[in-house]
Structure formats: structure tokens, C-alpha cells
Amino acid sequence: METFEEHYAAMQAAIAKHLPGADMALIDRAVEYANAKHKYQKRKDGSPYIIHPLAVAEVIAEMGLDQDAILGALLHDCIEDTDASHEDIEKLFGQTVAELVEGVTKLTRANFSTSEQAQMENLRKMFMAMSKDIRVVLIKIADRLHNMRTMQYQTPAKQILKCRETMDIYAPLAHRLGMQKIKWELEDLALRYLAPGEYDNIMAYLQAHQEQDESFMQTIQSKITERLTNMGIHNKTYGRIKHVYSIYRKTQTQGKSIDELYDLYAFRVIVDSIPDCYNVLGHVHDLFNLVPGRFKDYISTPKPNMYQSLHTTVIGSQGIPFEVQIRTWEMHETAEYGIAAHWKYKQGTGSGSEKDFEWVRRLLESQQDSDAEEYVQSLKIDMFDDEVFVFTPKGRIVSLPSGSTPIDFAYAIHSGVGNAMVGARVNNRIANIDAKLKNGDIVEIITSKSAKGPSRDWLNICKSNQARTKIKQWFKKEKREENVLHGKSSFESEMKRVGLPLTAITDPALEPHLLKKLSFDSWDEMYAAIGYGGLTAVKAVGRIRDDVNKALKAQAAEKAPVNPLRMRPDSETVLQNRHAVNGVIVEDIDSCMIKFARCCTPVPGDAIVGFITKGFGVSVHRADCPNAQNRDDPRQSARWVRVRWATQEEQPFETTLELDCITRDGLLLDVATVMTTARVRVKELNGRDLPGGRSMFTVRFEVKNVGELETIRKKLLNIRDVVGSRRGQN
Ligand code: MN
């Protein structure tokens, strides 16, 4: 069991170290107040409750925060768990402390569920609070840290729940705030409960290799220290093993076991000045072999969480690679405590500069207008993914999620820039707006006053939540009504142009199907899309055209009058048959009369179409017949139907060939001879002279199919002075 005295002493030591001028009498009053208020409460392990606020205050003091934050930490559970009120605390400890406690209470109250919706609410409140006073969030993180340190007293279900939440929210938050030390501890503690087997394996391995690791690190450390000291560079150099969670993640992402990993070691060199950092880098590269491509200069380009250091990976004489991080003391402080350290330096000038809260504002901006799941998802992306750093033409650094495009960049600058964007230049060259930006790219957005605004495709191209949210907002607000009107009118005129009746799209039998085909929920939505140019009217109509036509034909066919009494068997080949009539099947129509159009005399094998005549059944044309080219005519389109040849038809079909010839005596006889030799039944054969010594022969004859027709045509073309042929059109 832990005692009050232990924790009080630890807190006092931290305050003495980091905030020597603190008013200990006031702090003691807060300890007494909290202790009195919590006196009936116990921690899960049976310890007095007060050790929790003491431990949280210790963490806050370690971070280097101020006296108000320490008081806030001591009192952080008073409003939530006891009868203390905002007014009481304000009276005793001042307005700022009361507001800090109130802020933490709000976050705690929001903290009851891990469903995405609830998490979003948590996060939202957390960020709201943060944008007002960062200390509220720092106290909340310290609170979580102590709760994680004492997680063993919780039930297994609660452990999993809290650890998941820690991994999803608190560790990334600590990372974003630059608090590496706390982030690592949170991750390691959470891993212990989330993957106990793996955690134990790694711990056991590290323990078994401790001696070996230490001697390796000692060797490297002395080598570096010796060189730097000889060169007169004041330094503190030490080695460490990477933290458990980062080893765990390496084994997971690289699919290796721990003994196959080799980049487990990291060394840190802390020096007095930035020039020293670069000097040290030179010496490290001189002492060891450089691993190419691993050098990163976070001093000239700090991470968005303000982290600065030089990173390089080298290989020592044992062939073991290790990372060396080189930084100044101030950078070190920032790396360990992040925004807290920064906040500390800024104390005199108010709480943090504008720029420090840029990412907070970004998150706040993007949380409006998006649903819970999407928000949490995008937060994860925005907070976890590596960033890419690009520059404005004036040299301002803009950090974006990696994989970002000029669209993301434009919206990161300003939504007005994004909405007016017509193109982009990357490194002075015109680039596609979906080009992936790389570190160091100089990006310039080309805007135009007459820009139509974003296109809906951009939603799929952009990577950052910020851009996506702003684009969506644009669509929602700006142009909706205008788009619908504009889109509707272009859609309707396109329908007219291709001869589709507008009534088709509101036909209750068709409408749901057509909307589904177009992937819209309503026509207005589609009109809006056409209106802003996300979809063209031609494309939209093209997508539904076949279906509308088919439906219309089916409807027309049902209504088409079919009267067998009016057939004229002598002049037309008209028959009635349930399925194949004259070897032709009319799709979707079971029983009807069929005749073959005299204009193009189709034979089996020809591509054919059917026309519903007024009173004579379906007339079959060759698909390429000139009389069948008006299929798209709105007045007629509904009467054209799909027909096809039935197979295994041996019945002869009449067809006509026209032969172009150079006039000579005996040609007619030659043609007749060919036809006779081919055993073709000729119905008609005649010729007439044309100007210029030309003549044309017309042969009407019977064939079984288009193959036979082609054989005969070839034979006819072999006749001397027959120079061309075409299918008849009488
Ligand atoms: Mn607490």
C-alpha cells in the first residue's frame, strides 16, 4: 500500500526542483482541502484517495507547469467526487484554479463510454477545453498517467477499456503535444494489458540481454563522449533501449521476432548550442558508418509538435546499427515535456503563441459538420500519420498528412484559396492537383476569380480531413439551389436531345432503379452534382439511356396492336408462331407476326432489329439498313425492339444483291450461269445501263444464311467486269 507521506514527499521534491518559488503554504492548504473532501473515498487498492491528486500534482510539477496548475491537479477530482463547488474553490484558491478544476471535471464527465460517438464527444470537449486553457488537458493527461500506473487494481474489463482509450486518445494526444516521455509511458502501460503475452516476452528478452545491451551501449557512449570531450564540446551522451511499445510495433510491422530486430538502440547527445549539434553530427559520422537515407534535420524543420533534433542512423564496429539524436538542452526539454515545456517558457507572455495552437484550431475547425465515426477516423489520420512538410512560395512551412495533394495544401492555406483553385505549381512546374506532395516541395496554388469551386472528385483526392470538411461545406452551403436548377435544366435538355421522355424518370417502376444506377438518392442530388460539374448531363443520361429505352419498348410492345386479319401473306412473308417466327425471335414478346423488310432483305447471320408496325406485326430490318437508322428518333424509338435469329433455321430467305459492272455483252449470261451452278434459286435478275459505260445488275435470290450469301457474292465478284457489289435496298 502506498502512503500519503511518500507521495507528498515526491510531490514536494518535484515542486522544489521545477518551481522553487512556489507558495508551499497555499499548496499545503489545497492538499488539506482535498484530503478533507475525499476523506471517505479510497483508492481501489485501499490507499487513501489523496495519494491520487498528490501523484497527479507531482506529474504536473515534473512537467514544469505553474502553481495554478499544481493546485488544479490537487483539486482536480473535488467537484466531480465531493461536495466541493466551483464557488468554494474560487473563494479559496482563485478563479483560475476553479476554472481548471471545472475544465477537468467536464472532461471526466464526458469520459464514460468508448463507443465512437462518445469518444467524439470526449475529444470535442477536450479540444474545446484545450483551446481555452491547455493546462486542463495537461492535468487530464497527468490524471490518466497515474491511473494507468495503478491499473493493476482495476477489473480486467475496465483495464482493457481504459488501455484502449489510452492508446486511441491519450498517447496520440501526448504525442501531438510533444510529450514524448509521457507518451512512451502511456503506451508501455497500455500494452501490458492489451497484449500481455507480447509485453512479457519483450520484457523477458530485454532482461535476459540486459548485461550485453549495457556493455554495448557503454562502449558506444564512451567512444562518442571521448571524441567530443577531446574536441572541447561540452556534452551529455547516453544510450537507451527503445521503449517496449515501439519494439512491439516493430515486431508487428516488420513481421519479425525481437531477436531479429536490430535497431533497438538509440543514443542521445545533448549539447549547449545549435552549432554544436551540427559539429557533433560530423563527429558521429566520422566515428561510425552512416546508414544512407536516415538522416533527418528536425532542427531546421521542426515537427508540428515543436520537436527539434538531428537524427541519424549509423553502424558501429560490431555491425549493429543504432540511432543518434542530437539536440540542445532546450530542445531536450521540449522533446520530453512538449507543449508543457513550451508553455513554461512563455509564462511571462501569456499562454502560448498563436502558432502553437494551430493544430488545435485545425482540429476544432474540422470537427464541425462531420459525423462521429468520420470525425474519430479523421482525427486518427490527422494525429497518427506521418506528416509531409511543404513550403509556400514565401517559404512558410506547411505541415500536412503524408500523401497530401495540392488540394490539401490549398485548403490548409485558406478555404478561399481552395475554393478558387484552378491549378497548382509544385517546384515551379505545373502539377496535377492530385499529385502527391513530397517533403520540401514548394507549392503554389493558382487561383481564378472565375473558378467554379471544388469538384466532388476532390473529396476522393484530398487526404486531410481539413480539406475534405471544407469542400463538403462548400457544397452544402454555397451552391445547392443554383446547382439543382442548373443541373436539372442540362439534364432535361440532354434527355430531349437523345429522345427520352422526361416522364420516364418519375415512372415509379423505373425511378428507384435509375437512381441506383446513377448512385444518387434523389434526382435533386443528381441535379446538384451536374450543376457543380461533378457529373455531366451527357454521362448521366448515357448511364440510364439503355434502361429507359428498354422499359419504354417493353411498355410499347404490350400496347402495340397486333391484328392477324390484316396480314397479307402474298406480298409479305407473314407468319405467326409462339417463339421463333420465320427463324426470328423478338425479345420480350412471346407471340407476334414477323415480316422481313423489303428494303434490306435480311438473312440469318445479319445483325437485325425489329420495328413494330401499325397492324403488320414486327418488321425485321438489317441493323445497318438506312430505314433502321432512326431508332433514336423520339417519336419512333419506342417502336424499335430487339430481335435475333433463332438457331437451326433451314428455311430459305430472300435477299438482293446489286452488282456494279463494266458494261459488256454476255455479262447477264455469266451472272445467270454462276447462280445456276451454285444451285441458287433466282427470283429476279435484271440489268440496266448507267452513264460512262457502267451498268448495274440486280439479283434477287434465296439463301439459307449470310454465309451462303457471302459465298455467292464472292463467286459473282469473280466474274470478269463485275467490279463491286452491295446488299440490295429496293
Ligand atoms: Mn483523477
Side-chain angles (χ1 to χ4, degrees):
M1 199 164 87
E2 299 165 76
T3 65
F4 172 90
E5 287 73 22
E6 281 167 18
H7 280 278
Y8 181 83
M11 178 192 76
Q12 202 179 28
I15 294 171
K17 185 173 168 202
H18 296 278
L19 201 70
D23 179 351
M24 271 320 280
L26 184 61
I27 287 169
D28 284 342
R29 277 211 296 286
V31 174
E32 278 156 33
Y33 181 85
N35 198 16
K37 289 288 174 190
H38 289 294
K39 72 179 162 199
Y40 299 117
Q41 265 179 295
K42 290 258 184 279
R43 294 286 289 169
K44 282 261 157 41
D45 67 340
S47 326
Y49 193 86
I50 189 66
I51 67 164
H52 170 63
L54 284 173
V56 175
E58 182 196 335
V59 174
I60 289 296
E62 284 287 346
M63 285 180 192
L65 290 193
D66 63 354
Q67 185 171 294
D68 283 343
I70 292 169
L71 294 169
L74 287 168
L75 302 169
H76 82 270
D77 279 330
C78 280
I79 292 183
E80 179 64 11
D81 292 343
T82 78
D83 62 359
S85 70
H86 184 109
E87 292 70 36
D88 295 343
I89 294 174
E90 184 170 344
K91 224 179 283 165
L92 290 165
F93 303 100
Q95 194 194 340
T96 309
V97 176
E99 274 169 10
L100 289 176
V101 176
E102 180 82 48
V104 177
T105 306
K106 279 187 188 151
L107 290 183
T108 307
R109 284 185 184 154
N111 225 349
F112 48 79
S113 164
T114 55
S115 78
E116 299 265 289
Q117 179 68 46
Q119 280 198 3
M120 182 196 66
E121 285 303 317
N122 281 351
L123 289 163
R124 190 172 291 184
K125 284 177 181 145
M126 191 170 241
F127 295 134
M128 286 297 191
M130 172 182 274
S131 59
K132 272 199 263 164
D133 194 328
I134 189 87
R135 289 172 290 182
V136 168
V137 177
L138 297 177
I139 294 170
K140 192 65 198 159
I141 288 175
D143 174 47
R144 173 54 59 108
L145 182 62
H146 183 243
N147 286 333
M148 288 298 294
R149 284 174 179 167
T150 52
M151 194 49 70
Q152 70 267 33
Y153 305 115
Q154 296 288 350
T155 61
K158 191 112 185 228
Q159 287 171 345
I160 298 292
L161 198 81
K162 290 286 169 193
C163 290
R164 202 58 270 164
E165 204 178 63
T166 297
M167 229 33 144
D168 281 347
I169 296 172
Y170 289 91
L173 197 55
H175 172 68
R176 248 350 246 268
L177 295 172
M179 309 161 86
Q180 261 193 91
K181 209 172 150 184
I182 288 178
K183 178 203 171 215
W184 289 345
E185 190 177 349
L186 288 172
E187 284 175 344
D188 285 359
L189 287 167
L191 184 69
R192 207 167 135 189
Y193 299 96
L194 293 174
E198 285 86 343
Y199 180 87
D200 289 345
N201 281 346
I202 294 169
M203 288 307 279
Y205 180 93
L206 293 179
Q207 250 148 38
H209 293 74
Q210 196 174 5
E211 227 170 278
Q212 196 182 319
D213 288 340
E214 270 169 13
S215 94
F216 171 74
M217 289 191 288
Q218 193 55 51
T219 314
I220 302 291
Q221 183 188 319
S222 331
K223 214 167 173 183
I224 296 174
T225 314
E226 193 188 297
R227 165 70 74 93
L228 296 184
T229 310
N230 286 343
M231 301 310 292
I233 299 172
H234 177 242
N235 71 93
K236 184 184 174 190
T237 299
Y238 59 96
R240 61 180 180 94
I241 299 263
K242 292 199 170 160
H243 74 297
V244 178
Y245 179 71
S246 93
I247 295 172
Y248 168 77
R249 232 185 30 196
K250 278 181 207 293
T251 63
Q252 298 294 304
T253 55
Q254 299 175 21
K256 287 178 178 166
S257 67
I258 178 166
D259 47 354
E260 292 173 293
L261 294 176
Y262 49 77
D263 48 349
L264 296 181
Y265 309 96
F267 291 83
R268 221 167 252 159
V269 183
I270 306 173
V271 293
D272 295 335
S273 70
I274 292 177
D276 277 354
C277 291
Y278 290 96
N279 277 339
V280 170
L281 182 74
H283 289 297
V284 168
H285 285 172
D286 187 40
L287 284 170
F288 309 102
N289 291 320
L290 171 73
V291 176
R294 295 289 299 268
F295 170 65
K296 286 174 202 131
D297 184 349
Y298 294 120
I299 290 180
S300 63
T301 308
K303 288 192 182 183
N305 63 13
M306 302 178 300
Y307 178 86
Q308 286 184 294
S309 276
L310 299 177
H311 285 194
T312 186
T313 300
V314 293
I315 299 182
S317 50
Q318 290 103 319
I320 301 171
F322 53 90
E323 188 178 72
V324 183
Q325 301 170 351
I326 306 159
R327 52 173 75 143
T328 65
W329 286 101
E330 191 181 334
M331 291 171 193
H332 180 61
E333 187 92 337
T334 301
E336 298 278 283
Y337 297 109
I339 200 157
H342 199 72
W343 190 88
K344 184 171 114 181
Y345 295 130
K346 296 258 170 167
Q347 262 187 70
T349 59
S351 57
S353 71
E354 276 291 288
K355 195 172 164 288
D356 301 333
F357 295 101
E358 199 175 297
W359 72 273
V360 179
R361 253 208 320 280
R362 239 197 273 161
L363 291 172
L364 283 172
E365 212 173 36
S366 60
Q367 82 187 23
Q368 286 149 17
D369 220 29
S370 59
D371 60 333
E373 205 181 314
E374 196 187 340
Y375 177 62
V376 171
Q377 203 47 44
S378 60
L379 242 191
K380 282 179 179 168
I381 289 172
D382 279 348
M383 291 181 65
F384 293 163
D385 268 24
D386 284 343
E387 263 126 326
V388 59
F389 300 96
V390 296
F391 297 93
T392 67
K394 285 184 180 165
R396 182 158 83 85
I397 296 174
V398 176
S399 73
L400 298 166
S402 67
S404 284
T405 65
I407 297 173
D408 297 288
F409 178 87
Y411 280 98
I413 299 296
H414 193 274
S415 50
V417 175
N419 293 337
M421 170 168 172
V422 291
R425 257 181 230 115
V426 174
N427 303 327
N428 253 332
R429 282 195 160 144
I430 295 289
N432 288 334
I433 55 169
D434 62 351
K436 280 211 170 121
L437 297 177
K438 293 185 295 296
N439 274 324
D441 279 348
I442 298 165
V443 188
E444 185 184 349
I445 299 302
I446 307 164
T447 58
S448 159
K449 274 184 190 152
S450 54
K452 288 183 194 128
S455 127
R456 199 162 275 266
D457 297 344
W458 293 11
L459 290 170
N460 301 322
I461 297 168
C462 69
K463 179 89 181 174
S464 62
N465 180 53
Q466 186 186 25
R468 196 166 294 123
T469 305
K470 284 178 174 174
I471 294 168
K472 279 188 185 161
Q473 275 168 357
W474 188 87
F475 283 128
K476 233 177 221 174
K477 283 180 205 154
E478 290 291 311
K479 299 256 168 150
R480 169 85 185 174
E481 272 167 49
E482 208 176 297
N483 285 339
V484 169
L485 282 177
H486 188 234
K488 189 167 189 229
S489 105
S490 27
F491 180 78
E492 288 180 354
S493 61
E494 176 63 16
M495 287 287 278
K496 243 175 250 167
R497 195 184 71 77
V498 304
L500 296 181
L502 281 170
T503 49
I505 64 162
T506 49
D507 183 333
L510 262 177
E511 190 176 5
H513 170 74
L514 297 179
L515 283 170
K516 197 178 165 201
K517 190 134 196 177
L518 288 158
S519 342
F520 285 99
D521 290 333
S522 71
W523 292 112
D524 272 4
E525 209 180 284
M526 186 197 71
Y527 296 149
I530 294 174
Y532 66 72
L535 175 72
T536 65
V538 174
K539 221 174 181 179
V541 172
R543 235 179 262 170
I544 59 169
R545 186 173 170 177
D546 283 354
D547 298 76
V548 173
N549 270 330
K550 202 171 161 186
L552 290 174
K553 276 172 199 165
Q555 283 167 7
E558 271 170 33
K559 291 173 198 149
V562 177
N563 184 357
L565 290 176
R566 288 184 64 187
M567 46 187 235
R568 293 176 293 171
D570 293 340
S571 57
E572 313 266 359
T573 323
V574 181
L575 284 170
Q576 192 166 7
N577 183 304
R578 184 151 181 82
H579 296 296
V581 183
N582 278 5
V584 169
I585 292 168
V586 181
E587 278 184 15
D588 303 319
I589 302 179
D590 245 353
S591 165
C592 68
M593 295 182 294
I594 294 288
K595 65 170 187 168
F596 293 101
R598 302 205 62 162
C599 52
C600 56
T601 58
V603 299
D606 283 329
I608 49 174
V609 290
F611 182 73
I612 300 167
T613 62
K614 292 190 173 128
F616 304 106
V618 173
S619 153
V620 175
H621 291 255
R622 274 169 30 213
D624 59 359
C625 171
N627 293 333
Q629 299 315 302
N630 61 351
R631 273 169 283 175
D632 289 335
D633 183 332
R635 288 157 303 172
Q636 303 224 314
S637 62
R639 298 173 65 188
W640 287 98
V641 290
R642 262 190 260 186
V643 296
R644 58 190 162 85
W645 297 103
T647 48
Q648 293 180 325
E649 264 305 332
E650 285 302 312
Q651 199 180 338
F653 291 81
E654 218 171 87
T655 191
T656 303
L657 276 181
E658 289 171 346
L659 305 174
D660 294 322
C661 310
I662 296 161
T663 308
R664 73 161 162 90
D665 289 338
L667 194 53
L668 185 63
L669 183 63
D670 287 351
V671 172
T673 308
V674 165
M675 298 305 274
T676 312
T677 324
R679 298 178 170 273
V680 175
R681 181 189 277 191
V682 177
K683 293 293 189 74
E684 185 189 335
L685 172 58
N686 57 49
R688 62 193 166 101
D689 286 334
L690 299 172
R694 295 288 184 128
S695 52
M696 187 176 80
F697 286 73
T698 304
V699 202
R700 189 154 60 84
F701 57 102
E702 285 180 342
V703 288
K704 291 200 184 64
N705 54 46
V706 75
E708 193 181 341
L709 170 64
E710 287 311 315
T711 313
I712 291 158
R713 188 210 289 261
K714 234 178 252 165
K715 284 180 177 161
L716 291 169
L717 284 169
N718 279 339
I719 299 169
R720 182 166 59 92
D721 293 329
V722 175
V723 292
S725 74
R726 85 190 74 82
R727 297 284 294 272
Q729 303 279 350
N730 41 319

